[in-house]
Amino acid sequence: VRLAETTPQHRLTAIAQGELAIASGKVAMVLVAGGQGTRLGFDLPKGMYPIGPVSGRTLFQMHVDSLRGAMRRFGVSIPLLVMTGPSTHEPTVRYFQENANLGLKPQELIIFQQGTMPAIDATTGKILMESTSSIALSPDGHGGIVRALAKTGWLDRAQDQGIEHLFYAQVDNPLVRACDPLLIGLHRLGQSQATTQVVEKRFATEKVGNVVNLDGKTQIIEYSDLPEEVAKQTNPDGSLRLWAGNIAVHVFDIEFLKRSCQSSDALPFHRAHKAVPYVDDQGNDCIPSGPNAIKLERFVFDLLPAADRALVVEARACEAFAPVKNAIGSPTDSPETCKAALVDLHRRWLTDAGVKLDEGCLVEIHPNWAWDEHEVQTRLDKPTQIHADTYFT
């Protein structure tokens, strides 16, 4: 579904469908938060990284606040599932405990850990040892979410509670609107089992997955697997042939996820060549100077071709995608670019509502003040001018 191909009426119909599903308790949200902030120079779980341009709220807070804004808006409790990894699980559990679950009720929060796979020596094919008594393990990728959820028993409980859809996002993208009614509504109207949100790629070789249609099936090809000459192919009008970039925002049907758990083909393993420290046969610690091991990972987007019907929905990058992946000072996907995107979005909301903003002042809107641009309009009943950095909360 391309933005240019949707009519205002179709969007309104979809939003109404999504809002009805949310208000009826048919939607839950999962946040993938297994990564450390290593590339950010941050030695804690990435979700604990402070990113609020004025407030300093963490990535976890940004997502939970957005979800609580949806709960307030639709008068419903929405479960949040947070998937951690082996190195982030305990710190994440402790963070939520020490911060009163960021306002979530105990029954609204489930923190669970993804699975692991052994690292394999790339030369010998043997399993590497982390110590003389334990094998070297690594997370099994974001695709491990399906089996991890099934292991908790949550998929069965969700169906018993009338939950039909799972809204999926990753913790490093605070521009995600939790349980986006438009995306959920389009998913329902299209009778999709697996829907993915995409943005138009900024340039041909951007490091995002490429969403394609292959033999009638929706698939995602990782940028690392796509030859550069293919990535640069264009249409007659000069636009990119492979324009749709995966931003890791999805909607899955619970019934489809349950079915996928029972299929050995739904989520194949991918090989990644990585550097993995290990101990040798004599018990000596070995630090490799380069990639020495094969890690096995599953990718959640491999569910798309397994769906009877999958849907791809375009969003504007300025409204949906500002990930925090790279260190301060990096030209793209850095804390600075993410904060700038958040400020720009909220400045547009305020400007559209008639607010006059001084050049350069930072603004940040808490979802409990206004969950979306329409609520901003209702909050401001007289002309307003902003002269300094302002946090609307």
Short mmCIF file of all heavy atoms in Angstrom, two decimals, residues 20-60:
data_model
loop_
_atom_site.label_atom_id
_atom_site.label_comp_id
_atom_site.label_asym_id
_atom_site.label_seq_id
_atom_site.Cartn_x
_atom_site.Cartn_y
_atom_site.Cartn_z
N LEU A 20 -11.09 0.44 16.49
CA LEU A 20 -12.08 -0.50 17.02
C LEU A 20 -11.40 -1.75 17.55
O LEU A 20 -11.75 -2.26 18.63
CB LEU A 20 -13.09 -0.87 15.93
CG LEU A 20 -14.18 -1.87 16.33
CD1 LEU A 20 -15.03 -1.32 17.47
CD2 LEU A 20 -15.06 -2.21 15.12
N ALA A 21 -10.41 -2.26 16.83
CA ALA A 21 -9.69 -3.46 17.28
C ALA A 21 -8.95 -3.20 18.58
O ALA A 21 -8.97 -4.03 19.50
CB ALA A 21 -8.71 -3.91 16.19
N ILE A 22 -8.32 -2.03 18.69
CA ILE A 22 -7.59 -1.69 19.92
C ILE A 22 -8.56 -1.54 21.09
O ILE A 22 -8.35 -2.12 22.16
CB ILE A 22 -6.78 -0.40 19.72
CG1 ILE A 22 -5.72 -0.58 18.62
CG2 ILE A 22 -6.11 0.01 21.03
CD1 ILE A 22 -5.09 0.72 18.16
N ALA A 23 -9.62 -0.77 20.88
CA ALA A 23 -10.58 -0.52 21.94
C ALA A 23 -11.29 -1.79 22.39
O ALA A 23 -11.75 -1.89 23.54
CB ALA A 23 -11.61 0.52 21.49
N SER A 24 -11.36 -2.79 21.51
CA SER A 24 -12.02 -4.06 21.83
C SER A 24 -11.07 -5.06 22.49
O SER A 24 -11.46 -6.21 22.72
CB SER A 24 -12.60 -4.67 20.54
OG SER A 24 -13.52 -3.79 19.92
N GLY A 25 -9.84 -4.64 22.76
CA GLY A 25 -8.89 -5.53 23.44
C GLY A 25 -8.31 -6.60 22.56
O GLY A 25 -7.87 -7.64 23.06
N LYS A 26 -8.25 -6.36 21.26
CA LYS A 26 -7.79 -7.39 20.33
C LYS A 26 -6.31 -7.24 19.96
O LYS A 26 -5.81 -7.99 19.13
CB LYS A 26 -8.64 -7.36 19.05
CG LYS A 26 -10.09 -7.74 19.29
CD LYS A 26 -10.90 -7.69 18.00
CE LYS A 26 -12.36 -8.12 18.27
NZ LYS A 26 -13.18 -8.06 17.05
N VAL A 27 -5.61 -6.28 20.59
CA VAL A 27 -4.24 -5.98 20.20
C VAL A 27 -3.32 -6.01 21.42
O VAL A 27 -3.66 -5.50 22.49
CB VAL A 27 -4.16 -4.59 19.52
CG1 VAL A 27 -2.71 -4.26 19.15
CG2 VAL A 27 -5.05 -4.54 18.28
N ALA A 28 -2.15 -6.61 21.24
CA ALA A 28 -1.06 -6.55 22.21
C ALA A 28 0.17 -6.03 21.48
O ALA A 28 0.21 -5.99 20.26
CB ALA A 28 -0.79 -7.92 22.83
N MET A 29 1.18 -5.63 22.25
CA MET A 29 2.40 -5.10 21.64
C MET A 29 3.62 -5.86 22.15
O MET A 29 3.69 -6.21 23.33
CB MET A 29 2.55 -3.61 21.98
CG MET A 29 3.84 -2.98 21.42
SD MET A 29 3.88 -1.19 21.68
CE MET A 29 5.53 -0.81 21.07
N VAL A 30 4.57 -6.11 21.25
CA VAL A 30 5.84 -6.70 21.65
C VAL A 30 6.96 -5.75 21.24
O VAL A 30 6.94 -5.16 20.16
CB VAL A 30 6.06 -8.10 21.04
CG1 VAL A 30 6.17 -8.06 19.52
CG2 VAL A 30 7.29 -8.77 21.65
N LEU A 31 7.90 -5.56 22.15
CA LEU A 31 9.04 -4.69 21.93
C LEU A 31 10.30 -5.56 21.98
O LEU A 31 10.58 -6.21 22.99
CB LEU A 31 9.09 -3.62 23.02
CG LEU A 31 10.01 -2.43 22.82
CD1 LEU A 31 9.60 -1.62 21.60
CD2 LEU A 31 9.98 -1.55 24.07
N VAL A 32 11.05 -5.57 20.90
CA VAL A 32 12.27 -6.36 20.83
C VAL A 32 13.41 -5.52 21.40
O VAL A 32 13.73 -4.45 20.87
CB VAL A 32 12.57 -6.78 19.38
CG1 VAL A 32 13.89 -7.52 19.29
CG2 VAL A 32 11.44 -7.66 18.86
N ALA A 33 13.99 -5.99 22.49
CA ALA A 33 14.96 -5.17 23.24
C ALA A 33 16.12 -6.03 23.73
O ALA A 33 16.53 -5.94 24.88
CB ALA A 33 14.26 -4.50 24.42
N GLY A 34 16.66 -6.84 22.83
CA GLY A 34 17.72 -7.75 23.23
C GLY A 34 19.11 -7.18 23.12
O GLY A 34 20.08 -7.79 23.58
N GLY A 35 19.24 -5.99 22.50
CA GLY A 35 20.57 -5.48 22.20
C GLY A 35 21.19 -4.64 23.29
O GLY A 35 20.50 -3.91 24.01
N GLN A 36 22.51 -4.72 23.38
CA GLN A 36 23.28 -3.82 24.22
C GLN A 36 23.53 -2.53 23.45
O GLN A 36 23.46 -2.51 22.22
CB GLN A 36 24.63 -4.45 24.58
CG GLN A 36 24.54 -5.64 25.51
CD GLN A 36 24.38 -5.23 26.96
OE1 GLN A 36 23.32 -5.39 27.54
NE2 GLN A 36 25.42 -4.70 27.55
N GLY A 37 23.86 -1.47 24.15
CA GLY A 37 24.16 -0.21 23.50
C GLY A 37 25.62 -0.07 23.11
O GLY A 37 26.16 1.04 23.13
N THR A 38 26.26 -1.17 22.73
CA THR A 38 27.70 -1.18 22.49
C THR A 38 28.12 -0.16 21.44
O THR A 38 29.06 0.62 21.63
CB THR A 38 28.15 -2.59 22.05
OG1 THR A 38 27.65 -3.54 23.00
CG2 THR A 38 29.66 -2.67 21.98
N ARG A 39 27.41 -0.14 20.30
CA ARG A 39 27.77 0.78 19.23
C ARG A 39 27.54 2.23 19.63
O ARG A 39 28.07 3.15 19.00
CB ARG A 39 26.97 0.45 17.95
CG ARG A 39 27.52 -0.77 17.22
CD ARG A 39 26.52 -1.33 16.24
NE ARG A 39 26.19 -0.43 15.15
CZ ARG A 39 25.29 -0.69 14.21
NH1 ARG A 39 24.62 -1.84 14.24
NH2 ARG A 39 25.05 0.18 13.25
N LEU A 40 26.76 2.45 20.67
CA LEU A 40 26.51 3.80 21.16
C LEU A 40 27.52 4.21 22.23
O LEU A 40 27.46 5.32 22.75
CB LEU A 40 25.10 3.88 21.77
CG LEU A 40 23.92 3.71 20.81
CD1 LEU A 40 22.63 3.52 21.59
CD2 LEU A 40 23.82 4.91 19.90
N GLY A 41 28.42 3.29 22.57
CA GLY A 41 29.33 3.55 23.68
C GLY A 41 28.61 3.53 25.00
O GLY A 41 28.97 4.24 25.95
N PHE A 42 27.59 2.66 25.08
CA PHE A 42 26.68 2.60 26.23
C PHE A 42 26.64 1.15 26.68
O PHE A 42 26.21 0.28 25.93
CB PHE A 42 25.30 3.10 25.77
CG PHE A 42 24.26 3.22 26.85
CD1 PHE A 42 24.35 4.18 27.84
CD2 PHE A 42 23.15 2.38 26.84
CE1 PHE A 42 23.37 4.31 28.80
CE2 PHE A 42 22.16 2.50 27.81
CZ PHE A 42 22.28 3.47 28.78
N ASP A 43 27.10 0.86 27.90
CA ASP A 43 27.28 -0.53 28.30
C ASP A 43 26.07 -1.13 29.02
O ASP A 43 26.20 -2.11 29.76
CB ASP A 43 28.54 -0.70 29.16
CG ASP A 43 28.49 0.12 30.45
OD1 ASP A 43 27.46 0.81 30.66
OD2 ASP A 43 29.45 0.07 31.22
N LEU A 44 24.90 -0.57 28.79
CA LEU A 44 23.66 -1.09 29.36
C LEU A 44 22.73 -1.50 28.21
O LEU A 44 23.01 -1.22 27.06
CB LEU A 44 22.99 -0.01 30.22
CG LEU A 44 23.76 0.43 31.48
CD1 LEU A 44 23.11 1.67 32.08
CD2 LEU A 44 23.83 -0.70 32.49
N PRO A 45 21.60 -2.17 28.53
CA PRO A 45 20.64 -2.45 27.47
C PRO A 45 20.26 -1.17 26.72
O PRO A 45 20.07 -0.11 27.32
CB PRO A 45 19.44 -3.02 28.24
CG PRO A 45 20.03 -3.65 29.45
CD PRO A 45 21.18 -2.76 29.82
N LYS A 46 20.14 -1.28 25.41
CA LYS A 46 19.88 -0.10 24.59
C LYS A 46 18.61 0.62 25.01
O LYS A 46 18.51 1.85 24.91
CB LYS A 46 19.82 -0.48 23.11
CG LYS A 46 19.79 0.71 22.18
CD LYS A 46 19.62 0.31 20.72
CE LYS A 46 20.90 -0.19 20.13
NZ LYS A 46 20.78 -0.37 18.65
N GLY A 47 17.62 -0.12 25.49
CA GLY A 47 16.36 0.48 25.91
C GLY A 47 16.52 1.49 27.03
O GLY A 47 15.64 2.33 27.26
N MET A 48 17.64 1.45 27.74
CA MET A 48 17.88 2.37 28.85
C MET A 48 18.61 3.63 28.40
O MET A 48 18.92 4.51 29.22
CB MET A 48 18.66 1.65 29.95
CG MET A 48 17.85 0.53 30.60
SD MET A 48 18.83 -0.65 31.57
CE MET A 48 19.47 0.40 32.86
N TYR A 49 18.85 3.74 27.10
CA TYR A 49 19.58 4.91 26.58
C TYR A 49 18.68 6.15 26.62
O TYR A 49 17.55 6.12 26.13
CB TYR A 49 20.04 4.65 25.15
CG TYR A 49 21.00 5.69 24.62
CD1 TYR A 49 22.35 5.61 24.89
CD2 TYR A 49 20.54 6.76 23.86
CE1 TYR A 49 23.25 6.58 24.42
CE2 TYR A 49 21.41 7.73 23.38
CZ TYR A 49 22.77 7.62 23.66
OH TYR A 49 23.64 8.58 23.20
N PRO A 50 19.15 7.28 27.17
CA PRO A 50 18.32 8.50 27.22
C PRO A 50 18.25 9.17 25.85
O PRO A 50 19.28 9.48 25.26
CB PRO A 50 19.05 9.38 28.24
CG PRO A 50 20.47 8.92 28.20
CD PRO A 50 20.44 7.45 27.86
N ILE A 51 17.05 9.41 25.36
CA ILE A 51 16.90 9.93 24.01
C ILE A 51 15.92 11.10 23.92
O ILE A 51 15.88 11.81 22.91
CB ILE A 51 16.48 8.80 23.04
CG1 ILE A 51 16.80 9.17 21.58
CG2 ILE A 51 15.01 8.45 23.22
CD1 ILE A 51 18.23 9.34 21.25
N GLY A 52 15.09 11.33 24.95
CA GLY A 52 14.14 12.44 24.90
C GLY A 52 14.86 13.76 24.67
O GLY A 52 15.73 14.11 25.46
N PRO A 53 14.53 14.51 23.62
CA PRO A 53 15.28 15.73 23.28
C PRO A 53 15.25 16.79 24.39
O PRO A 53 16.23 17.52 24.57
CB PRO A 53 14.56 16.25 22.03
CG PRO A 53 13.80 15.09 21.49
CD PRO A 53 13.45 14.24 22.67
N VAL A 54 14.15 16.87 25.14
CA VAL A 54 14.05 17.83 26.24
C VAL A 54 13.98 17.09 27.58
O VAL A 54 14.62 17.49 28.55
CB VAL A 54 12.81 18.74 26.07
CG1 VAL A 54 12.76 19.78 27.19
CG2 VAL A 54 12.82 19.43 24.71
N SER A 55 13.22 16.01 27.62
CA SER A 55 12.97 15.29 28.87
C SER A 55 14.10 14.37 29.30
O SER A 55 14.26 14.08 30.48
CB SER A 55 11.70 14.44 28.73
OG SER A 55 11.93 13.37 27.81
N GLY A 56 14.88 13.89 28.33
CA GLY A 56 15.88 12.88 28.65
C GLY A 56 15.30 11.50 28.89
O GLY A 56 15.98 10.61 29.42
N ARG A 57 14.03 11.29 28.52
CA ARG A 57 13.42 9.96 28.70
C ARG A 57 14.21 8.91 27.93
O ARG A 57 14.76 9.17 26.87
CB ARG A 57 11.97 9.96 28.20
CG ARG A 57 11.00 10.70 29.08
CD ARG A 57 9.58 10.63 28.52
NE ARG A 57 9.47 11.32 27.23
CZ ARG A 57 8.55 11.05 26.31
NH1 ARG A 57 7.67 10.08 26.51
NH2 ARG A 57 8.51 11.75 25.19
N THR A 58 14.22 7.69 28.48
CA THR A 58 14.92 6.59 27.83
C THR A 58 14.08 6.03 26.67
O THR A 58 12.89 6.32 26.54
CB THR A 58 15.20 5.45 28.82
OG1 THR A 58 13.94 4.87 29.24
CG2 THR A 58 15.96 5.94 30.04
N LEU A 59 14.72 5.20 25.86
CA LEU A 59 14.00 4.53 24.78
C LEU A 59 12.86 3.69 25.34
O LEU A 59 11.75 3.68 24.78
CB LEU A 59 14.96 3.66 23.96
CG LEU A 59 15.89 4.42 23.02
CD1 LEU A 59 17.06 3.54 22.59
CD2 LEU A 59 15.12 4.92 21.79
N PHE A 60 13.10 2.98 26.44
CA PHE A 60 12.01 2.21 27.07
C PHE A 60 10.86 3.14 27.45
O PHE A 60 9.68 2.82 27.20
CB PHE A 60 12.51 1.50 28.33
CG PHE A 60 13.18 0.18 28.09
CD1 PHE A 60 14.35 -0.16 28.78
CD2 PHE A 60 12.64 -0.75 27.21
CE1 PHE A 60 14.96 -1.39 28.57
CE2 PHE A 60 13.26 -1.98 27.00
CZ PHE A 60 14.42 -2.30 27.68
#
